[in-house]
Amino acid sequence: MVNRSETRANIVGTAARLLREEGAAAVTVRAVAHAAGLQPPALYRFFEDKDALLDAVAEHVFTTYVTEKTHTGGSDDPVADLRAGWDAHLAFGLANPALFGLLVAPGRASPAAEAGLAVLRARVRRIAEAGRLRVPERRAAELVHAAGTGAVLTLLASPPEDRDPGLADALLDAVLRAILTGAPADPPATAPKLTDAERALLAEWLNRR
């Protein structure tokens, strides 16, 4: 017999597939229930409404991405780690356009989006602790967040073949010049990493219901 947690996981996985393959408009209660082999009323035993389902999908996809694309431990250079996080943010947004649109939609509070912001703030705090910030932490984090969101949305607005491959890096360099003392660090040669503290913070945010 399939238990409650397995049924919930099946619903979320099905909704995530529909979102990836057909976009947000395809993720309706009726469509998800049909694809998951359930009657529509059954979904309301797990999710209050469509928004709650989409939030669960966002958390599922986001945490899966973090698990697959990051490694425990950061570098000794907090600016390099910020660049690595920027690269991960861009890769995630470009790989998941429909989900990214949901995460950054105005007025939509998602635990997954808050988790990402929490990690960004932690990385900015490390830069501040190293004496590298010329602006307050909050302003630095908001500048990086706004630039990263804008970069992804701008790139997604064009077909892949028409995108400027250097746009995102140029934008990050401009932001770093505005918030850092001294020259920004060179991009890291390794894959993006989270420190143990950042991973714990991420888990704390995503475990909140």
Side-chain angles (χ1 to χ4, degrees):
M1 178 180 294
V2 178
N3 62 35
R4 182 177 176 84
S5 62
E6 290 174 339
T7 300
R8 187 182 188 280
N10 177 45
I11 294 170
V12 172
T14 299
R17 177 177 57 79
L18 287 174
L19 181 67
R20 181 178 62 253
E21 295 177 355
E22 302 181 34
V27 185
T28 65
V29 169
R30 182 176 297 277
V32 173
H34 177 75
L38 301 169
Q39 294 298 317
L43 266 68
Y44 292 107
R45 294 201 294 267
F46 298 89
F47 306 99
E48 180 180 357
D49 52 26
K50 177 182 174 180
D51 283 346
L53 172 59
L54 289 173
D55 282 340
V57 171
E59 293 173 38
H60 167 73
V61 177
F62 185 82
T63 52
T64 299
Y65 180 84
V66 169
T67 299
E68 293 176 348
K69 299 298 183 181
T70 62
H71 305 275
T72 301
S75 73
D76 293 331
D77 186 343
V79 178
D81 287 344
L82 181 65
R83 280 189 178 274
W86 171 276
D87 290 341
H89 174 80
L90 289 173
F92 177 79
L94 295 178
N96 302 274
L99 178 59
F100 188 83
L102 292 174
L103 290 174
V104 301
R108 201 179 160 76
S110 165
E114 288 298 324
L117 283 172
V119 171
L120 170 60
R121 292 176 187 129
R123 289 185 168 176
V124 170
R125 186 170 302 115
R126 288 184 60 218
I127 296 174
E129 291 169 350
R132 296 289 311 278
L133 279 187
R134 67 167 75 245
V135 299
E137 287 182 38
R138 178 175 177 178
R139 182 173 179 80
E142 289 179 347
L143 282 169
V144 174
H145 175 64
T149 300
V152 175
L153 292 177
T154 298
L155 292 171
L156 288 176
S158 300
E161 63 273 15
D162 293 338
R163 294 171 187 169
D164 178 354
L167 183 146
D169 287 341
L171 186 54
L172 177 59
D173 287 341
V175 171
L176 292 183
R177 284 194 295 271
I179 69 174
L180 296 180
T181 59
D186 292 332
T190 58
K193 299 178 180 179
L194 293 178
T195 65
D196 290 336
E198 289 166 355
R199 291 179 69 86
L201 185 59
L202 180 68
E204 178 184 347
W205 273 101
L206 291 177
N207 285 332
R208 295 181 179 181
R209 291 289 185 267

